[in-house]
Amino acid sequence: MNSDFTAACEAFSLGQTAEALKLSSEDIAWNIVGDRSVVGLKDVKAMCKEAAKQGAPNFRNIRTICAESHIIVEGADLDSDVYYCDIYAVEDNSICEITSYGLSGEQ
């Protein structure tokens, strides 16, 4: 996988969305499991803009796995007991899908 895509995906998982959005297809789908799906670059950008209004998250990526057409980023919110996994699908030199999982460590 191209290092530019890997860096952009790692940044997106930290809440720094600009580079990943530049590499995204117009018909990107962002599936936030258990919450909603956002389809289309315009709507994904709008959602990122709304999230940015809440301030920068205190996330830390723990592991990145790169495959032929996918990048998987696992991490944690350092301010809470929440862990995340973002799966990025890349086709035709563009990010075409993001699937985001969030898990609470509290029981």
Side-chain angles (χ1 to χ4, degrees), residues 12-57:
F12 189 96
S13 291
L14 294 173
Q16 302 158 11
T17 62
E19 292 305 312
L21 293 174
K22 290 178 191 175
L23 297 172
S24 295
S25 67
E26 286 295 322
D27 59 348
I28 186 172
W30 185 8
N31 305 302
I32 305 166
V33 177
D35 187 8
R36 69 186 105 172
S37 292
V38 181
V39 178
L41 186 56
K42 179 181 174 185
D43 290 342
V44 170
K45 283 181 178 180
M47 182 144 171
C48 291
K49 186 175 181 179
E50 279 300 310
K53 289 180 183 178
Q54 297 175 20

Side-chain angles (χ1 to χ4, degrees), residues 31-87:
N31 305 302
I32 305 166
V33 177
D35 187 8
R36 69 186 105 172
S37 292
V38 181
V39 178
L41 186 56
K42 179 181 174 185
D43 290 342
V44 170
K45 283 181 178 180
M47 182 144 171
C48 291
K49 186 175 181 179
E50 279 300 310
K53 289 180 183 178
Q54 297 175 20
N58 192 14
F59 291 170
R60 179 178 58 133
N61 294 336
I62 297 169
R63 178 167 69 158
T64 302
I65 302 166
C66 297
E68 186 175 327
S69 61
H70 289 81
I71 299 168
I72 302 162
V73 181
E74 299 174 351
D77 182 337
L78 300 178
D79 293 333
S80 67
D81 197 19
V82 174
Y83 302 87
Y84 57 85
C85 179
D86 295 321
I87 303 168

